Amino acid sequence: MDYKKLQNGSDIRGVALEGIEGQHVNLTEPVCKDIGRGFAVWLMKKTGKTENIRVAVGRDSRLSGETLCGYISSSLVESGINVTDFKMASTPAMFMSTVTEGYEFDGSVMITASHLPFNRNGFKFFTKNGGLESSDIKEILSYAENGDQTGLEKGSIVDGEFMDKYSEILANKIRTATGEDKPLKGFKIVVDAGNGAGGFYVNKVLKPLGADTTGSRYLDPDGSFPNHIPNPENKEAMESITEAVKEVGADLGIIFDTDVDRAGAVLSDGSELNRNRIIAMLSAILLREYPGTTIVTDSITSTGLKEFIKEKGGIHHRFKRGYRNVINESIRLNNLGQDSQLAIETSGHGALKENYFLDDGAYLVTKLLIELANGKKQGYSLESLISTLSEPAESVEFRMNIKLDDFKTYGLNVIDELKAYAETKDGWSLEENNYEGVRVNLDKDHGDGWFLLRLSLHDPLLPLNIESNMKGGAKIIADELSKFIQKFDKLDATSLLNF
């Protein structure tokens, strides 16, 4: 087996269960044990320790989670690691176990595949310095494939519990920021956990703070995901939490992805708080606390968001897709002396400087709850924080497959030619300081909006995002682009051409 194929950026992901045609299990027992051994070797080298290396292991609600936990834990023990099994946990909690006083594990492993289908699973790894980088994952898989060993005597394994402590940290943050023991008393707040690992937030954070959580949905873990995919970007999932808010007249609705590193919300008026809107909300909050700070986002955020951040006194730094990309860019800016408090993708992956630059959906929601409670006392609502955000009339995405093995060369050539083409077109102007693909702004006679064509991080396709400020504008932009795109015969642009 080629272990490199299991790498997905800074994670490891694969098929853990049969059940979907054409997808066969590659996270087998030997493979998982090899990965555990590879992580043990990597961690020993990274820490320089040769005894009492401690690793925490946790998992989300996936059907294969307990089995994979057993595989990797036993391998770590055989490699000389002392393992603590936290069982059901969230991804952010597993990182926090490496930095929280009294725990401070040398490393941690989270068994998750985020929002992917039930048959998939994978591994995320942490040290006190944060999530591992792509280069670290490559190194671990190399150790796994090559049979490297730690040479240490056998370790041990014990059961442990961390979600109570993690929840206490979140609840106490809200208490401290509001100055009250039960700051959510009188509020109706509903949670849709999508049968993932996020149900803890109701009983361990919201209820102890006084919230009425009647109407919350799908809190019980179930890795078959019988109700909807736990994913704030999923239409059905957002419809579910919106319905829950309207049913009970909630002040706020919260939705988590499977492992709780992402979140979305629904405001009391039934409007969704995701993508550009949740970025705007968090930006408004942070720019009051840290005036002039830089907000780093991925490449597909709207023009209206950029204007909103500028209006609030901040700097919008639009970077590349990929949550590790935006986090690392924000860290880079801080290291250069430019304050950047937030790194966030439109997918809901958001990381704050004040919270270890950890992409933590529960922490983002905690920031919203502080505003909800303080706003009631001070006479403002969450809705009012983004009342000046200008939103597009239309937004659409096309994903155009490249029908070549050497898809990267072909895709980059399409982008280069489009950039040159855009420079010659009336009404088109290239976006300044663009870090990914080609982004073009179009005037009112040519669709009144923008488009971004970029190469996918991992797959043989060119995603195309179009936004327009007027009804029918997206089609105008698509039609103008089609004249250029249709000449590339190795690019499946059917969806664009038929739009």
Side-chain angles (χ1 to χ4, degrees), residues 52 80 105 114 120 128 170 307 356 364 405 488 497:
N52 196 30
F105 286 88
S114 189
R120 306 298 292 271
K128 64 182 180 181
L170 296 175
E307 294 168 350
Y356 305 95
L364 295 190
D405 289 336
F488 295 95
L497 300 177

Side-chain angles (χ1 to χ4, degrees), residues 68 123 210 305 434 441:
L68 267 61
F123 303 101
L305 177 66
N434 185 61
N441 299 311

Side-chain angles (χ1 to χ4, degrees), residues 90 92 114-115 166 170 189-202 205-206 216-219 225 228-234 237-238 241 253-265 278 347-348 360-366 368-369:
S90 72
S114 189
H115 61 280
Y166 171 68
L170 296 175
I189 301 170
V190 292
V191 172
D192 186 329
N195 302 112
F200 78 92
Y201 202 81
V202 169
V205 179
L206 294 177
S216 292
R217 297 181 170 190
Y218 317 136
L219 305 181
F225 308 130
H228 61 70
I229 297 171
N231 180 6
E233 286 191 291
N234 178 264
M238 290 306 297
I241 186 60
I254 298 164
I255 184 167
F256 294 117
D257 75 340
T258 319
D259 61 326
V260 202
D261 61 358
R262 293 188 296 133
I278 197 166
S347 66
D360 184 347
Y363 192 89
L364 295 190
V365 165
T366 294
L368 297 182
L369 292 173

Side-chain angles (χ1 to χ4, degrees), residues 262-331:
R262 293 188 296 133
V266 173
L267 300 177
S268 59
D269 61 4
S271 60
E272 295 181 3
L273 195 63
N274 57 4
R275 299 182 66 80
N276 288 288
R277 288 170 59 82
I278 197 166
I279 298 174
M281 179 74 74
L282 290 164
S283 298
I285 294 169
L286 289 166
L287 282 163
R288 283 205 318 251
E289 300 175 14
Y290 307 96
T293 196
T294 297
I295 311 296
V296 179
T297 73
D298 61 353
S299 59
I300 63 171
T301 49
S302 70
T303 303
L305 177 66
K306 191 175 190 72
E307 294 168 350
F308 177 85
I309 291 172
K310 182 178 180 180
E311 169 202 318
K312 295 296 182 182
I315 299 170
H316 182 201
H317 185 80
R318 190 189 285 124
F319 197 56
K320 300 176 182 178
R321 290 282 278 175
Y323 73 96
R324 290 302 311 177
N325 286 332
V326 295
I327 290 172
N328 288 343
E329 180 67 0
S330 187
I331 292 171

Side-chain angles (χ1 to χ4, degrees), residues 364-389:
L364 295 190
V365 165
T366 294
K367 295 288 284 188
L368 297 182
L369 292 173
I370 291 169
E371 288 298 317
L372 183 68
N374 285 337
K376 186 175 183 179
K377 290 187 290 185
Q378 298 172 26
Y380 67 89
S381 65
L382 287 178
E383 288 87 342
S384 70
L385 295 179
I386 56 172
S387 61
T388 60
L389 175 65

Side-chain angles (χ1 to χ4, degrees), residues 20 30 38 113 136 153 169 213 242 271 347 384 461 488 494:
I20 294 182
D136 299 317
E153 293 185 7
I169 292 170
T213 60
T242 301
S271 60
S347 66
S384 70
L461 56 85
F488 295 95
T494 306

